Amino acid sequence: MNFSEGLQLLPITLTDGLVLGLLYAVIALGYTMVYGVLGLINFAHAEIFMVGGIVGIEVLTFGTAGTGMHPALQLLLAVTAAMLISGALAVVTERIAYRPLRLRNAPRLVPLITACGVSLFLQDFVRFIESLFGNFIRPFPDFEFFYRSVELSDSVIVPYKSIAIVLVGVAMLIGLTYLVNYTRLGRAVRAVAQDQKASALMGIDVNRMIALTFLVGGALGGVAGVLYGLQFGKLDPFSGFIPGIKAFTAAVLGGIGNIPGAMLGGIVLGVLEVLAGTYLPILTDNAVGTEYKDIFAFGILILILIFRPSGLLGRATVEKV
């Protein structure tokens, strides 16, 4: 394939990049919300995302299969279940693993190590549970409906599953923006992010707002897990690591602690990754394969952060979370 033929792939490549970027953005919101409130990098969020995805797969496999429900309704039920379980898991994690350390004013490195421990625990716990019932690699149920497509132009054919990911992802991002910026709870969370002691003096239940932050971040992770399974066809207990690292990178790229920044960082990372995966083989006559797409994408990100160390929107937004 020559370069001119490769250019014809640009519209569909950008579309795929947008879909992948939205997935990263939804995961990144969980990182950026917790960091914005506590200054904590919650590495366990990647496993909360994974748990949500596997819960969604199990709901679709054993809960709604054979019921005759429309696939879109089944997906909605799976997403709802994933939100509930992942949100609850995030709250329990905060209550057991992080809050005792926070109340004892533990050094900031300690919760970071605890987050890594929770991450490893969840990986092996899910592997143990799934292994009891067979293979812990869980395939996403094959819905013919989501593989139908819409032809937007001669070179852009978008499958239903990509449309579903975009619609759900955008709805989550809009809903979170409204919650944080236009509701009383959102104002309370932002107040806690600014100054916990002053918020407590003003009558805000700080512990409750922090738990709410974990609940919302975990629920978003659950949504992203189901959408990730829909896009890539399977999940296992270790599926959270790579997307989690990339989503964390997206949060840093956009300006960690900044919600619009997490959205922008996720989309930029997703588009760069897909562009590199598509055009590296074309531009190098297959000397450099698609597997090197992460090197290219992360190289660009390093360059951006050298010149914008606070992230793309790190200075543009005044308020955090």
Side-chain angles (χ1 to χ4, degrees):
M1 181 182 295
N2 57 41
F3 184 71
S4 61
E5 291 173 335
L7 281 180
Q8 297 177 5
L9 298 175
L10 185 59
I12 189 62
T13 301
L14 292 175
T15 304
D16 290 343
L18 175 63
V19 172
L20 183 61
L22 278 173
L23 283 175
Y24 290 154
V26 176
I27 306 171
L29 289 172
Y31 286 106
T32 210
M33 286 192 69
V34 171
Y35 185 87
V37 172
L38 293 179
L40 166 69
I41 300 172
N42 180 22
F43 282 119
H45 184 67
E47 275 56 54
I48 292 171
F49 149 81
M50 173 273 295
V51 169
I54 288 185
V55 166
I57 288 175
E58 301 301 359
V59 168
L60 292 170
T61 303
F62 299 107
T64 62
T67 60
M69 283 191 292
H70 192 280
L73 181 57
Q74 294 187 50
L75 181 66
L76 179 62
L77 291 175
V79 166
T80 303
M83 289 179 70
L84 293 174
I85 298 297
S86 291
L89 179 60
V91 171
V92 171
T93 300
E94 187 275 332
R95 184 67 183 84
I96 295 176
Y98 302 144
R99 186 179 298 184
L101 300 175
R102 175 166 54 83
L103 296 179
R104 289 172 173 78
N105 293 319
R108 297 185 69 173
L109 182 62
V110 177
L112 188 66
I113 295 172
T114 303
C116 294
V118 173
S119 174
L120 295 173
F121 171 81
L122 289 176
Q123 284 182 5
D124 284 331
F125 181 74
V126 172
R127 181 173 64 171
F128 173 74
I129 296 296
E130 290 293 344
S131 296
L132 293 177
F133 301 95
N135 193 344
F136 60 74
I137 299 175
R138 304 299 300 151
F140 200 89
D142 187 15
F143 290 105
E144 182 271 338
F145 171 79
F146 289 114
Y147 288 93
R148 298 177 190 171
S149 57
V150 176
E151 186 173 345
L152 300 180
S153 68
D154 292 340
S155 59
V156 181
I157 300 174
V158 183
Y160 282 7
K161 66 177 183 179
S162 295
I163 296 174
I165 290 170
V166 170
L167 291 177
V168 175
V170 170
M172 292 296 107
L173 298 179
I174 292 175
L176 179 63
T177 301
Y178 177 80
L179 173 68
V180 171
N181 293 304
Y182 301 105
T183 68
R184 190 173 179 179
L185 283 176
R187 286 193 292 273
V189 170
R190 283 186 287 143
V192 172
Q194 292 292 328
D195 192 322
Q196 293 186 18
K197 291 182 180 178
S199 300
L201 291 174
M202 296 299 292
I204 296 174
D205 189 333
V206 173
N207 287 331
R208 184 183 174 200
M209 291 304 108
I210 291 175
L212 175 67
T213 301
F214 274 84
L215 175 67
V216 173
L220 288 170
V223 174
V226 177
L227 298 181
Y228 190 88
L230 174 64
Q231 178 70 1
F232 295 100
K234 64 180 180 180
L235 282 170
D236 63 57
F238 310 103
S239 293
F241 180 72
I242 296 298
I245 289 293
K246 292 181 177 178
F248 173 67
T249 304
V252 174
L253 174 66
I256 193 162
N258 184 300
I259 289 176
M263 299 178 192
L264 178 62
I267 292 172
V268 169
L269 180 61
V271 170
L272 282 175
E273 183 178 323
V274 176
L275 281 174
T278 301
Y279 288 104
L280 278 179
I282 296 173
L283 296 174
T284 63
D285 195 20
N286 291 318
V288 179
T290 302
E291 64 271 19
Y292 292 100
K293 64 182 185 300
D294 290 340
I295 295 177
F296 176 83
F298 279 89
I300 296 293
L301 297 179
I302 290 171
L303 287 176
I304 293 174
L305 290 175
I306 286 174
F307 296 100
R308 296 278 300 179
S310 59
L312 293 172
L313 299 184
R315 294 180 180 177
T317 301
V318 175
E319 62 190 13
K320 297 190 295 180
V321 178

